[in-house]
């Protein structure tokens, strides 16, 4: 039982360090940099890098507000004013580097999170 508890806490803590969950509205789309500035609901504006491998899901974007389950979105679907939920990671965060003997110091405050999954909500906002 003690081994299961230790294993569960280890898995939970490692997932907390590797991922962050952001949500907010797009303020700016930087096409040349393939990144977006999101007005997050907790910490203000934040720049998020979008990679070619980032999965972009369109929620409530299909006919009559249904989900488009047949295809994923593209960078062009990220438009100013749309609400997003982003799963991201910080590339320089301790424990996420594949470099041996990497510096285990805290991440740089200016580090740009990299999106692994973006869920775009196309429905109209309340205001």
């Amino acid at each position: 039982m003690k081994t299961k508890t230790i294993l569960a806490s280890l898995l939970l803590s490692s997932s907390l360090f590797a991922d962050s969950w952001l949500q907010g509205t797009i303020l700016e789309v930087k096409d040349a940099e393939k990144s977006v500035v999101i007005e997050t609901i907790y910490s203000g504006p934040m720049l998020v890098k979008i990679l070619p491998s980032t999965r972009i899901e369109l929620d409530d974007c299909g006919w009559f507000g249904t989900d488009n389950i047949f295809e994923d979105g593209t960078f062009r679907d990220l438009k100013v004013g749309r609400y997003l939920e982003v799963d991201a990671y910080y590339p320089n965060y301790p424990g996420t580097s594949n470099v041996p003997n990497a510096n285990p110091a805290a991440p740089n405050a200016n580090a740009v999170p990299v999106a692994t999954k973006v869920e775009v909500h196309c429905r109209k906002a309340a205001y």
Side-chain angles (χ1 to χ4, degrees), residues 11-119:
L11 290 173
L12 179 63
S13 66
S14 66
S15 67
L16 292 176
F17 287 118
D19 294 328
S20 73
W21 192 57
L22 305 171
Q23 50 184 319
T25 306
I26 298 177
L27 289 179
E28 182 181 357
V29 177
K30 298 184 176 192
D31 192 31
E33 299 174 14
K34 296 297 185 209
S35 60
V36 293
V37 178
I38 301 172
E39 178 66 40
T40 62
I41 61 175
Y42 298 114
S43 61
M46 180 173 281
L47 181 70
V48 177
K49 179 77 174 157
I50 308 294
L51 297 178
S53 61
T54 301
R55 182 169 182 203
I56 299 175
E57 296 179 354
L58 304 176
D59 186 25
D60 299 331
C61 298
W63 289 77
F64 304 109
T66 59
D67 292 345
N68 189 353
I69 61 171
F70 299 109
E71 63 182 55
D72 287 337
T74 64
F75 188 78
R76 287 178 282 159
D77 294 314
L78 304 177
K79 297 182 175 154
V80 173
R82 286 199 169 165
Y83 183 80
L84 301 175
E85 292 178 3
V86 179
D87 290 336
Y89 69 94
Y90 292 89
N92 297 330
Y93 200 84
T96 61
S97 174
N98 292 332
V99 179
N101 301 323
N103 184 3
N108 184 352
N110 298 324
V112 176
V114 176
T116 56
K117 180 177 132 185
V118 175
E119 189 173 333

